Structures are given as structure tokens and as C-alpha cells.
Amino acid sequence: MLSTLTALKPRALLLQLLNFALVLSTAFMMWKGLSVASNSPSPIVVVLSGSMEPAFQRGDLLFLWNRNWREDTKVGEVVVYNVRGKDIPIVHRVVRKFGGGETPLQLLTKGDNNAADDTELYARDQKYLNRKEDVIGSVVGYIPFVGYVTILLSEYPWLKTAMLAIMGVTVVLQRE
Amino acid sequence: MSSEGKIAVYSLADLKTTTDDILPTYLTSLHFTPTHTASTIRLALGYSAVLLAAALFYFDYTSGWATTAPYTLPAVLVYFALNGAYTAWIFIVERGAVFEGVGPQGERVVVRSRSRKNEGVYFLKIEITGAAGKGMKEIDVEAPFTRWFTRDGQIVPKPFQQWLASSVDVVGKADPTNVVEDIGRGSSIEEKGTASGVNIMGLPVERMGELLGGAVKTGGGGKKGKR
């Protein structure tokens, strides 16, 4: 199989590799474009836990919007936030809000399926979320279940390698 | 493609790209000098886009969204501008060019190839500009792939070279020995009557072309060409 690659002249090999590089870079830049439009570092997230059932299930794909043009985030809105010092985004509903306007807007969140609010989940000594610093967006749309692929990919990391390898091989070997 | 260089004869893309590969080799052997300007520009456009994306990825990975956010919009705009230029270059400027260069008499030669969906025919458009840059001439030629592929997917250069030399005068002048009346019959392989010289349906090569041509007419064209 690889003989087809090594048989290529350097120029043809560069063109062939470019195909693969362009597929990856275009996907990345489209993601970044969406980030810019929604003003969110991560405009699409996957629900990883059942804490928001029955509103959202594990594997649902959520679309986020992080601009408050007309009004501030309201109680009842579902937001995604990052806990300071941790890297996992959490999708929960706003149950209380404080401040806003001149003072920084602060939110208290709770999972629909959880018994208690999120103060336990927040960083040490943090009682509220800072809308501007902690929240990465409000949920504006979702597609059920399709995000399950990423759950599988993160639970079985070898799948990621396998997928990337298959993608690479097909793009590099396939011509037009 | 297997290591013996055989291809699946049912894959039009394989038929076309394999033929595209031997065309420049043949022309270069006839002292046509290839020029690489077009593919250099294509590579430059493509790789500068990729490098920009890679730089943003690295910057984002090391510094995080808070730092990179102001640079992201310009980077995305420039990336898609470069990507658009790359695509435009392929479809508007290169238009399927498989050979670009200067012929033995100093003429500029551009060969563009094309195949159509569900049609086993190789289309070539050859643009020849005289040495002094005057008198652009366009030649359109076409031939079924069955002329130079055996039934098991082996490419046979001789009939391909004969077809090209016989139908394009610039090539014919550079390679008079391959100019023949009856393309596909003069090859030594076929004279010996070995299996590899027989085409898919076991018909004479000329009849094969008629059959394919006929099928094309009744099949109704109008399909967009594959580059």
C-alpha cells in the first residue's frame, strides 16, 4: 500500500500530504470560526453525565452562545461553565442570580437531576459562578445522542488513534 | 493499487490518475521540459494556509482562549481567504492540468485531462502557444481507457503513446515512430497476442471505442466533467 506513496515524486508527495493537512486545518479553522461567532472557547459540547436528565441525556450535542446582546443571562437558562482549576465543562441550569448591570453578574447553578445545588462542585471557597469568567455559554440548541461518539472516543482512547490513522490513510492514498 | 502497478478497472479515478501519471513521463522523455510554476503556487497557497492554522493551534494550545481570542478572527478570515485562493487556483487556473511545459521547438504546451462520470473515456485538451508567444492553438482529443489498460488493470504505455503521438502533432513531431494509422494495433504486445493485450470484452480495440462511443450517446450526456 505504502509503495504508492513512496513511488510519488517529492512534489506529488507534498501535494498529497497537503490534501490531508487541509482537511484537518479546515476542520480546526471552522471550529475556531464558530468560536469567534459565538464568543465561546468551546461552542459545541457533549453532555457527559446524567445530571440534567430528563432535559439532556448523556451524549447529547449542545450548541452554545456566549453573547448577551439584549439581556443578561436569566434564571432557568441552561449554561455551561468551567470550574476554576478543572478542565471539564459542566452543563447545569441557573437557579439564582445576583448582581448584573454595574456589578458583576453572579449565578448559582444546579443539575435538574441532582438533589443539591452546585456549591459542592465549585472551586474551594467559591459560592457563585462569575458569568463573565466562568461561564462559556448558554445552551441554544441541541442534537440528541450524536455526541455519543466523543464519549466513546474519550472512554476508549485507542479509537481516537485508529480513527485518525484511517482518516490519514484514506486521504493520503485516495486521489481526487 | 497493488505493488505490481495494477489498478481496479472499475475505478474511473484510478484509470484517470494512472494515465495522468504516465503522460508527463512520456512527454518529458520526448524532451518536453516541464515547468512547475503552477504547482509551486498551489503548494505555496495550500501550505501557507496550513501553517497559519498550525500556528493558531499551537498558540491556542499553549496560551488558551483568553489570550488568542483577539487574533482568532483575523486568522480565520486569512485562512479561508488562502483556502479560497487555493481552490480557485485549482479550478480556474490549473483546470486539471497534468503537464505544463515547453516543447522541443520552444512552444508552450499545457495538457489538461478530464473524465466524465460513468464514461470510460479520457479527454485531453492541449493548448499550444508558439515559441514567440503567438497563435494559441487548442486541440481536444479523447480515447477510451481500454486502449491502454489491459483487462486486469495493467497500463500499457505503448498504445497510449501511439494515440497521443498520432492525434497531437506536436507530440507526433517529437516522436514520429509512434505515429500510426491504426492506434493500438502496432504494439508489440498485441502482435504477439498475449493475454495482456486483449481488452475487457475481447473485441478489437477499434470496435471497443465504437461501443463505448455508442453507449455514451444513448446514455445522455450533460453530466458535469470530473476534473
Side-chain angles (χ1 to χ4, degrees):
Chain A
M1 280 257 281
L2 270 175
S3 64
T4 51
L5 268 188
T6 49
L8 288 171
K9 295 190 191 105
R11 194 167 277 271
L13 183 70
L14 277 178
L15 280 173
Q16 202 65 358
L17 291 178
L18 181 59
N19 283 349
F20 182 48
L22 277 175
V23 170
L24 288 184
S25 62
T26 303
F28 175 69
M29 288 313 247
M30 280 168 80
W31 170 257
K32 281 292 157 195
L34 201 59
S35 271
V36 171
S38 64
N39 190 32
S40 171
S42 176
I44 299 173
V45 294
V46 173
V47 179
L48 297 176
S49 78
S51 66
M52 277 300 282
E53 282 180 21
F56 299 123
Q57 318 279 330
R58 237 164 95 78
D60 287 359
L61 202 67
L62 308 181
F63 297 92
L64 308 186
W65 189 252
N66 197 26
R67 294 181 188 277
N68 291 91
W69 276 326
R70 266 172 294 175
E71 52 184 348
D72 276 346
T73 309
K74 290 176 295 187
V75 169
E77 236 172 80
V78 179
V79 296
V80 177
Y81 64 91
N82 280 319
V83 176
R84 285 169 207 171
K86 284 185 203 162
D87 219 14
I88 308 149
I90 297 172
V91 190
H92 279 173
R93 195 181 298 277
V94 176
V95 288
R96 299 245 169 93
K97 65 181 238 181
F98 309 87
E102 298 290 301
T103 53
L105 182 63
Q106 294 186 307
L107 307 170
L108 177 67
T109 54
K110 176 184 170 297
D112 288 1
N113 201 23
N114 289 356
D117 63 38
D118 290 352
T119 32
E120 284 291 303
L121 292 173
Y122 299 159
R124 191 180 260 263
D125 296 331
Q126 191 187 357
K127 299 230 165 56
Y128 304 101
L129 295 176
N130 184 311
R131 171 68 184 85
K132 229 178 159 171
E133 285 164 21
D134 300 325
V135 176
I136 62 168
S138 303
V139 177
V140 287
Y142 80 107
I143 305 176
F145 201 66
V146 291
Y148 220 91
V149 185
T150 58
I151 293 184
L152 286 178
L153 286 179
S154 60
E155 280 176 11
Y156 306 96
W158 59 268
L159 268 175
K160 227 184 268 182
T161 326
M163 209 177 75
L164 209 66
I166 291 170
M167 230 172 79
V169 166
T170 47
V171 175
V172 167
L173 292 186
Q174 181 186 55
R175 296 188 45 183
E176 325 291 310
Chain B
M1 238 194 254
S2 71
S3 51
E4 304 95 77
K6 282 182 190 164
I7 56 141
V9 287
Y10 308 102
S11 163
L12 194 56
D14 277 3
L15 288 169
K16 181 177 171 292
T17 52
T18 312
T19 312
D20 287 347
D21 284 346
I22 68 162
L23 189 140
T25 315
Y26 173 51
L27 291 184
T28 318
S29 76
L30 303 178
H31 303 292
F32 282 75
T33 321
T35 45
H36 295 297
T37 329
S39 67
T40 305
I41 293 175
R42 176 174 171 182
L43 284 172
L45 286 171
Y47 275 104
S48 49
V50 169
L51 285 180
L52 177 69
L56 181 67
F57 180 82
Y58 176 77
F59 194 23
D60 193 53
Y61 189 77
T62 49
S63 317
W65 169 256
T67 330
T68 56
Y71 308 101
T72 306
L73 180 62
V76 168
L77 292 180
V78 172
Y79 177 84
F80 283 104
L82 282 172
N83 203 326
Y86 172 83
T87 313
W89 186 260
I90 290 173
F91 284 98
I92 299 169
V93 181
E94 287 195 358
R95 277 178 290 143
V98 286
F99 181 85
E100 242 180 285
V102 182
Q105 311 296 324
E107 63 276 68
R108 236 186 85 71
V109 181
V110 183
V111 183
R112 303 179 200 282
S113 78
R114 195 161 62 83
S115 64
R116 285 192 205 138
K117 217 175 180 178
N118 304 329
E119 218 180 300
V121 182
Y122 192 55
F123 295 87
L124 283 185
K125 187 187 273 294
I126 299 122
E127 297 168 12
I128 302 154
T129 322
K134 55 179 164 50
M136 216 260 269
K137 193 165 62 162
E138 266 193 13
I139 308 167
D140 284 282
V141 286
E142 55 178 88
F145 287 109
T146 47
R147 273 207 189 146
W148 51 85
F149 278 100
T150 62
R151 113 166 77 182
D152 53 356
Q154 183 72 49
I155 191 162
V156 187
K158 192 72 179 169
F160 174 73
Q161 295 171 355
Q162 288 176 338
W163 166 66
L164 208 60
S166 312
S167 37
V168 184
D169 53 356
V170 189
V171 183
K173 265 185 235 156
D175 189 14
T177 51
N178 265 331
V179 180
V180 286
E181 295 268 313
D182 230 356
I183 300 159
R185 300 278 176 81
S187 112
S188 54
I189 298 164
E190 282 189 287
E191 272 167 5
K192 280 180 204 146
T194 54
S196 62
V198 181
N199 62 39
I200 297 168
M201 293 169 86
L203 287 169
V205 178
E206 291 304 305
R207 284 289 316 281
M208 198 59 206
E210 284 166 35
L211 279 178
L212 276 171
V216 171
K217 270 160 211 148
T218 47
K223 282 185 189 110
K224 234 187 132 196
K226 196 176 155 69
R227 69 180 170 92

